[in-house]
Amino acid sequence: MARLGAGSVSPNPMVGSVIVCDDQIIGEGYHMAYGQAHAEVNAIRNVFENHANAKELLKRSTIYVNLEPCSHFGKTPPCADLIISNEIPRAVIGCRDPFDQINGKGIEKLKNAGIEVIENILTDKCLDLNKRFFTRIQKQRPYIILKWAQTTNGYFSPLDQSQKWISSKEAKQLVHRWRSEEDAVLVGKNTALADDPKLNVRDWSGRDPVRIVIDRRLELPTDLNVFDQTQNTIIFNNIKTDIVGKIKYLELEDFDNLLPQLIAYQLYLMDIQSLIVEGGSKTLNLFLASGLWDEARVFISPQTWEDGILAPELKGNASEVQNIGPDILKIWHNKT
């Protein structure tokens, strides 16, 4: 249930809830969109919509939720209070919410009301589900995914920086799905110039991410797709801070030191919870060298080239390997 909110609830976590009475599911719901009702609200509402004796059933029910119910007034009232007011006697919770205003307080409120609380059920899966949310809260930065394609013999792009497609149409569609699930996608100046990417989700159904371009001296021509005003776009530079329609120019004072860290912190301040870094080689290596990444997703094409710019190198073995059309997708997770 929680996963159904992917791409729609950020910077909130994905949360699902199921209500069971006498071994039967009587209600279910999930957090559908940021600023709208939380999972527990939708699950309880679902019980009332489908059962004439909802009040009686809830008094004998167990509510299951993957994340601790909130205990404070935010954009919506506290879910813990709703559970208490409906006299649900038992709550099963996957993991605690690390957000300072909630962490343990929702559980404490339920227990103080006499509700039996069972914690830490499938905790690893619950933590993995909301790894973007937890990264933003605990590390004050977005969850960062590095993505690129390379040939079988390790080349990333042509020497002359011209555009040459490596991966398959199946891989391209998957990348567009990924973009719909993450908050933002980032490229460097050279990639914007060579590929003129749109950085949207035209091959998938979903919302477009925020486009981010690193252009230190604002040298990119404004007739490129990233300036077409169809999506919110951020241009990191060292010349100006300004807003032109959907394009936000953000000045960074220091491009020579800790650039990935500066970008990540600025995005955190803007409530951008997850980021795909799509290149090019210089930009990807910058994030790799800083250790500032959580996943690397690499498509390996059956193509071989005689020469080219070498792809970034990752140490160790991939934690996941799968076939995507004619390509192989390898995924690494940063354990540091």
Side-chain angles (χ1 to χ4, degrees):
M1 294 297 299
R3 287 188 190 281
L4 295 173
S8 301
V9 302
S10 177
N12 281 352
M14 293 179 282
V15 184
S17 181
V18 174
I19 299 173
V20 173
C21 182
D22 300 331
D23 295 327
Q24 297 291 321
I25 294 174
I26 62 168
E28 56 186 27
Y30 67 98
H31 184 31
M32 300 174 71
Y34 177 70
Q36 295 184 15
H38 288 185
E40 300 92 324
V41 176
N42 288 329
I44 291 170
R45 184 180 294 157
N46 188 231
V47 177
F48 279 95
E49 288 170 349
N50 292 297
H51 301 276
N53 59 337
K55 286 187 177 181
E56 177 195 332
L57 291 175
L58 287 171
K59 292 177 182 179
R60 296 189 283 113
S61 294
T62 298
I63 185 167
Y64 294 82
V65 62
N66 59 287
L67 188 70
E68 177 181 5
C70 61
S71 56
H72 71 295
F73 281 88
K75 289 186 176 293
T76 59
C79 291
D81 289 357
L82 184 66
I83 294 169
I84 293 166
S85 66
N86 280 282
E87 300 181 60
I88 300 173
R90 191 165 179 255
V92 177
I93 297 167
C95 64
R96 292 196 174 202
D97 189 329
F99 187 55
D100 283 344
Q101 288 181 283
I102 301 173
N103 195 349
K105 297 181 179 69
I107 289 170
E108 183 182 9
K109 182 176 274 192
L110 294 177
K111 287 181 176 179
N112 288 341
I115 293 172
E116 179 188 0
V117 177
I118 299 173
E119 290 186 67
N120 300 321
I121 304 299
L122 298 175
T123 307
D124 289 345
K125 289 186 177 182
C126 292
L127 291 172
D128 183 70
L129 172 72
N130 277 310
K131 55 194 174 187
R132 295 158 182 81
F133 173 73
F134 295 132
T135 297
R136 184 178 69 88
I137 295 296
Q138 295 170 334
K139 297 184 178 181
Q140 287 80 55
R141 66 166 177 82
Y143 187 86
I144 298 172
I145 300 164
L146 309 182
K147 170 257 150 186
W148 71 85
Q150 64 184 60
T151 65
T152 296
N153 55 341
Y155 290 117
F156 173 84
S157 60
L159 289 172
D160 62 2
Q161 294 187 339
S162 61
Q163 185 179 36
K164 190 173 181 181
W165 199 261
I166 297 177
S167 55
S168 63
K169 63 179 182 180
E170 292 90 345
K172 182 180 179 182
Q173 185 178 52
L174 179 57
V175 169
H176 285 216
R177 193 194 90 186
W178 289 343
R179 289 176 183 170
S180 75
E181 295 171 346
E182 311 302 340
D183 288 351
V185 55
L186 179 148
V187 297
K189 182 190 73 173
N190 291 338
T191 297
L193 198 56
D195 296 347
D196 193 15
K198 294 182 179 180
L199 302 178
N200 60 17
V201 297
R202 59 195 179 278
D203 288 342
W204 193 260
S205 176
R207 63 106 174 91
D208 290 323
V210 175
R211 299 182 293 204
I212 302 172
V213 182
I214 302 173
D215 183 13
R216 181 173 186 168
R217 300 178 183 86
L218 296 180
E219 295 170 320
L220 290 172
T222 55
D223 60 351
L224 294 177
N225 285 317
V226 292
F227 295 102
D228 65 8
Q229 295 286 347
T230 60
Q231 291 163 243
N232 290 328
T233 302
I234 299 169
I235 311 293
F236 283 113
N237 67 92
N238 69 351
I239 293 175
K240 68 175 182 179
T241 294
D242 194 13
I243 296 177
V244 180
K246 291 186 176 182
I247 300 172
K248 182 177 291 186
Y249 294 88
L250 283 180
E251 181 181 356
L252 297 177
E253 292 183 2
D254 191 351
F255 266 69
D256 297 316
N257 298 288
L258 304 176
L259 181 60
Q261 289 87 341
L262 289 171
I263 290 172
Y265 186 64
Q266 285 296 321
L267 297 181
Y268 162 74
L269 294 176
M270 299 168 71
D271 276 341
I272 289 178
Q273 187 160 265
S274 59
L275 171 70
I276 304 177
V277 180
E278 293 200 12
S281 180
K282 180 181 177 181
T283 303
L284 287 163
N285 279 316
L286 204 59
F287 278 84
L288 281 169
S290 70
L292 199 63
W293 61 282
D294 298 287
E295 285 183 40
R297 302 174 180 177
V298 183
F299 292 102
I300 300 173
S301 164
Q303 293 185 49
T304 57
W305 293 357
E306 291 185 5
D307 58 20
I309 296 173
L310 288 171
E313 286 190 34
L314 291 163
K315 296 179 181 178
N317 295 320
S319 53
E320 299 176 46
V321 180
Q322 53 185 289
N323 294 317
I324 306 295
D327 302 322
I328 296 172
L329 171 62
K330 293 187 175 183
I331 300 177
W332 280 260
H333 292 88
N334 189 2
K335 303 299 183 183
T336 58

